[in-house]
Amino acid sequence: MSAVREQLPEGRYGRSADERADRKLRIVGSVLGVLFLGLLSWFGWYYVVDSRISAELIKFDVVSATEVQVHLEVRKDEGVEGVCTLRSRSEDGTEVARKDVRIDDPAARVDQVFSLRTTAHATSAELIGCTTR
């Protein structure tokens, strides 16, 4: 009786196509895993460690044809300083005032009123955004 071999002799004809494909998949999977972990670490660092500042425009009051007062409520980490940008517009949408205001108070929550000098009669005021310094 003769025995029939179903597989090729091991090591005789090099790696099979399946083994090469498996190796490539492992390399691609490893690279993607490392990239994913790096991205996850970066988002975690930004969320946990990075100081943020947020503010809300509570109200505004058009005092005169050349002045608007803006009441801001700022929430931030204690001891963090920041800058908030305010803008005022006229009835037709033209910007009539823009001002960067400093938030120097070390408290975590700050309520403050700021005055904007306008170039024409203002009808609105808005908070553009805040950043830390």
Side-chain angles (χ1 to χ4, degrees):
M1 267 211 255
S2 67
V4 178
R5 295 183 93 179
E6 292 182 12
Q7 295 180 356
L8 297 174
E10 223 175 288
R12 188 170 199 176
Y13 299 104
R15 289 186 177 173
S16 71
D18 287 343
E19 288 177 350
R20 277 183 249 131
D22 287 347
R23 184 167 189 256
K24 286 180 184 177
L25 281 175
R26 274 189 258 133
I27 291 171
V28 168
S30 298
V31 169
L32 289 176
V34 167
L35 288 174
F36 177 73
L37 286 176
L39 187 64
L40 190 65
S41 299
W42 183 76
F43 279 125
W45 176 266
Y46 179 77
Y47 182 75
V48 173
V49 176
D50 192 31
S51 305
R52 292 184 292 167
I53 182 170
S54 64
E56 181 180 353
L57 188 139
I58 302 299
K59 69 176 185 171
F60 70 91
D61 186 25
V62 180
V63 177
S64 69
T66 60
E67 183 180 3
V68 175
Q69 288 187 344
V70 178
H71 179 195
L72 280 184
E73 179 182 296
V74 180
R75 290 170 303 282
K76 59 185 180 61
D77 294 334
E78 255 184 62
V80 173
E81 295 180 350
V83 175
C84 293
T85 304
L86 303 171
R87 173 170 63 182
S88 183
R89 294 184 179 214
S90 65
E91 189 171 352
D92 65 354
T94 306
E95 184 177 287
V96 293
R98 180 181 287 255
K99 185 175 184 179
D100 290 333
V101 294
R102 294 174 60 181
I103 311 297
D104 293 334
D105 193 336
R109 189 175 183 151
V110 178
D111 275 334
Q112 214 166 354
V113 177
F114 298 99
S115 180
L116 277 74
R117 296 284 179 199
T118 62
T119 57
H121 186 70
T123 57
S124 70
E126 59 187 327
L127 172 67
I128 303 295
C130 296
T131 58
T132 57
R133 283 195 304 151

